[in-house]
Amino acid sequence: MKKILLSTAAVVATAGAALAGGVAAPVMEPVIAPVVVAAAPVGAWQGGYAGANLSWGKVGIDTAPDDLDGAGIALRGGYDWQNGNTVFGLGADYDFGKQKRDFAGTEVALKNAGTIFARLGYDANGWLPYASLGYTWAKMEATGGVLDENVDGYTIGLGVERKFTPNWAGYAEISHTDFGNIDAIGVDADMQKIKLGVNYRF
């Protein structure tokens, strides 16, 4: 009986000491967040695009008293790569319009101009000023079969593109094409164009 009382007293004393010290809070192990490696940011101009432009152009022929002139509409597409603020792109456009002039009842025209080009630009916070260098081919003809020849030459251009939304951009561009000597008529010809267009970037 004495042993039972001593054991009971020991249990009560131990419980009292535990209650006096309070319940110890569990120790939480620190949570280590997983390391996430961020993907390299893609430049605002990198990617493909497709669009169209309206143009006004004139073609000068050495011996002609006046320039050929006229409006056109063209389709354009390409792809840009971006490294920092530098943007490099390849593209092409095809103009369905023509520049023409009537000389004493004979209409001379240049039409179906296609261009492939490379361009180099600078990302200026939503603006993209650029310079381009390309190759252009076209058809030059005159009524009555007096002239019917394919012409080609190099094209240089200056332009600026501006983003209005993440996908839509507008641009303005001027270009100069040197067709060199046209064999059929033995004279030099060149072309200047002003273009206003829009691109959808994807």
Side-chain angles (χ1 to χ4, degrees), residues 61 68 106-110 139-151 182-187:
I61 301 175
L68 317 182
T106 298
E107 182 184 273
V108 179
L110 183 137
K139 183 86 167 179
M140 184 170 279
E141 61 184 17
T143 54
V146 178
L147 175 65
D148 186 1
E149 185 166 349
N150 295 319
V151 296
I182 301 173
D183 294 335
I185 54 179
V187 295

Side-chain angles (χ1 to χ4, degrees), residues 97-115:
K98 65 181 179 179
Q99 288 72 48
K100 61 183 181 179
R101 178 70 63 182
D102 186 270
F103 298 104
T106 298
E107 182 184 273
V108 179
L110 183 137
K111 63 180 185 178
N112 302 337
T115 302

Side-chain angles (χ1 to χ4, degrees), residues 76-87:
R76 172 175 287 200
Y79 194 94
D80 290 320
W81 295 265
Q82 184 165 354
N83 183 12
N85 291 103
T86 302
V87 178

Side-chain angles (χ1 to χ4, degrees), residues 5-192:
L5 290 174
L6 289 174
S7 298
T8 302
V11 171
V12 172
T14 302
L19 292 173
V23 179
V27 177
M28 302 295 292
E29 292 292 332
V31 178
I32 300 174
V35 177
V36 178
V37 179
V42 176
W45 296 99
Q46 181 156 318
Y49 62 88
N53 66 68
L54 298 174
S55 67
W56 176 262
K58 64 177 184 177
V59 177
I61 301 175
D62 281 352
T63 58
D66 297 301
D67 293 334
L68 317 182
D69 59 23
I73 182 169
L75 299 179
R76 172 175 287 200
Y79 194 94
D80 290 320
W81 295 265
Q82 184 165 354
N83 183 12
N85 291 103
T86 302
V87 178
F88 172 75
L90 296 173
D93 66 20
Y94 186 84
D95 195 328
F96 296 92
K98 65 181 179 179
Q99 288 72 48
K100 61 183 181 179
R101 178 70 63 182
D102 186 270
F103 298 104
T106 298
E107 182 184 273
V108 179
L110 183 137
K111 63 180 185 178
N112 302 337
T115 302
I116 55 175
F117 61 87
R119 70 175 183 172
L120 184 64
Y122 183 84
D123 182 357
N125 193 26
W127 294 86
L128 181 69
Y130 62 87
S132 63
L133 176 64
Y135 168 75
T136 297
W137 65 95
K139 183 86 167 179
M140 184 170 279
E141 61 184 17
T143 54
V146 178
L147 175 65
D148 186 1
E149 185 166 349
N150 295 319
V151 296
D152 59 6
Y154 71 87
T155 297
I156 56 175
L158 292 174
V160 62
E161 191 167 352
R162 167 66 173 171
K163 274 199 169 187
F164 299 113
T165 73
N167 296 107
W168 286 100
Y171 65 92
E173 181 179 303
I174 57 173
S175 65
H176 171 84
T177 301
D178 187 347
F179 290 116
N181 187 268
I182 301 173
D183 294 335
I185 54 179
V187 295
D188 291 340
D190 58 23
M191 175 173 65
Q192 288 78 41

